[in-house]
Amino acid sequence: MSAAGRETDPVDAYVAELTAALHGPPRAKARLVEEIRGGLVDTVEARPDRGLSPDHAVREAVREFGTVAELVPGCQRELTLAQARHTAKAVALTAPFLIACRYLAGTSGDVGAGLIPRTAQLLAVHAAGVAIVATLLAAAALAATGTLARRLPTAHRLPLVVAWTGTTAGIAMAVTTLALATAAALATNWPLLACAGVLAAVCHAAVAGAARACRRCARLPVPGTPGLG
């Protein structure tokens, strides 16, 4: 099939419209869209109206299979939950490293004299303490979207809670990075604090993007899901 033929293919147009309307983890979204594409193709091929034009055949199949507007709410709910789980996993995997940064900052006794280095070290210690709460919330979210999801209904606001948990953890990581960088610049024993700062920065990069995507998904106006925004 030529490039022009692919561009005007009604199934491709349907899939493109659906893809543009959905938001979520790229892999989960691609897998879901591919499953729907396969189902639509099967529906088109199963129709007995062999004399119909391709466009007409697809329109009839879509009427039976469901329009994009009809499929988006259910698909987006699934992807929003997947994004919440992805974000919770990112927090659960990175927050313990922030606790390690707290330990490193607390055990580095020589940060130099003066208010600024001491304040920076204490700020790093206390900001990293947020990681303990974030880890517990992330673990609870993973349980609620995993094993428990098969037995209990998932709360509508859970994705938003996960999004703000990730956001809070990300802010704590950014503050910790800045505080450790300041302390390292003024400390005699700077390599230890510098390593902790790099570790905090890496954790922040891993969590911030996932939390931002989760906030976006949780705020989408999806019919039938009150409380997500």
Side-chain angles (χ1 to χ4, degrees):
M1 183 180 293
S2 65
R6 284 196 300 270
E7 291 175 357
T8 58
D9 184 271
V11 173
D12 287 346
Y14 180 95
V15 170
E17 183 181 355
L18 180 63
T19 300
L22 296 176
H23 303 278
R27 289 185 181 179
K29 177 179 173 179
R31 183 169 57 250
L32 180 61
V33 170
E34 187 58 33
E35 289 176 358
I36 292 174
R37 178 191 181 94
L40 179 60
V41 170
D42 291 342
T43 303
V44 172
E45 293 177 348
R47 292 197 60 79
D49 309 291
R50 300 300 182 185
L52 295 177
S53 66
D55 287 350
H56 194 181
V58 170
R59 283 198 298 271
E60 291 298 317
V62 166
R63 187 179 304 171
E64 176 184 341
F65 186 77
T67 63
V68 170
E70 291 169 340
L71 293 184
V72 163
C75 292
Q76 187 56 59
R77 280 194 294 271
E78 182 176 340
L79 288 177
T80 297
L81 198 59
Q83 182 63 61
R85 184 170 177 80
H86 176 75
T87 303
K89 188 177 295 185
V91 173
L93 290 176
T94 57
F97 289 105
L98 200 59
I99 298 172
C101 291
R102 174 183 179 176
Y103 173 78
L104 290 175
T107 56
S108 180
D110 185 11
V111 293
L115 180 62
I116 293 178
R118 283 293 179 184
T119 300
Q121 186 188 38
L122 289 175
L123 185 60
V125 170
H126 291 298
V130 175
I132 298 175
V133 177
T135 301
L136 294 176
L137 289 175
L142 286 173
T145 57
T147 304
L148 291 180
R150 302 189 187 100
R151 303 178 182 178
L152 300 173
T154 302
H156 291 308
R157 289 191 178 273
L158 178 62
L160 195 59
V161 171
V162 172
W164 283 108
T165 298
T167 300
T168 303
I171 292 173
M173 292 169 183
V175 170
T176 301
T177 301
L178 180 61
L180 288 172
T182 302
L186 300 172
T188 303
N189 187 22
W190 64 267
L192 187 62
L193 291 173
C195 289
V198 171
L199 185 59
V202 171
C203 291
H204 170 73
V207 170
R212 184 166 53 250
C214 194
R215 289 199 307 272
R216 181 183 184 185
C217 287
R219 288 172 169 170
L220 288 175
V222 180
T225 54
L228 277 181

